[in-house]
Amino acid sequence: VLLDQRGAGKSTPRGCVQDNTLDFLVQDCERLRHHLFDNNSSNTVAPWDIVLGGSWGATLGLAYSLKHPTALRSLILRGVCALRPSEVNWLFGAKGGSAIASPEAWK
């Protein structure tokens, strides 16, 4: 299952940022799990086998796993940026990787 978060992809209204907070996005993920896996006969909701997130999705996946630790069996994060000074300098600094890889675009 691929989820288009609020305001992105096929989510409507497209580009809307109203109520587009990390807490609301985590709630959306949990609401989707209940919608897909709710077993009415036993009052249980199956966990996700894998939650995968990249870039902003890594942040969302981590936040979801912290809020609902029993709702998933495994977590895969890729493209994680913790906004440490070294990462910010690499992205935006005059001597960082972005400036070196594409100096004209960086200017």
Side-chain angles (χ1 to χ4, degrees):
V1 174
L2 297 176
L3 168 69
D4 284 333
Q5 74 180 44
R6 295 175 183 226
K10 294 180 182 176
S11 176
T12 58
R14 189 160 191 220
C16 181
V17 294
Q18 183 178 357
D19 297 327
N20 194 355
T21 66
L22 185 58
D23 287 337
F24 280 122
L25 295 171
V26 167
Q27 288 175 21
D28 290 346
C29 294
E30 185 62 2
R31 193 175 304 116
L32 179 60
R33 183 177 73 92
H34 280 261
H35 173 75
L36 294 172
F37 303 118
D38 192 359
N39 182 348
N40 291 325
S41 63
S42 65
N43 286 333
T44 62
V45 179
W48 296 107
D49 286 325
I50 300 169
V51 170
L52 169 85
S55 189
W56 168 249
T59 302
L60 179 55
L62 186 57
Y64 178 79
S65 70
L66 291 170
K67 179 81 175 181
H68 302 283
T70 61
L72 60 149
R73 291 188 177 122
S74 61
L75 178 63
I76 300 173
L77 305 176
R78 63 166 185 77
V80 177
C81 180
L83 293 177
R84 295 175 297 196
S86 62
E87 294 169 326
V88 173
N89 287 335
W90 189 93
L91 289 167
F92 304 112
K95 295 181 182 179
S98 295
I100 293 167
S102 187
E104 290 303 313
W106 185 85
K107 290 178 186 177

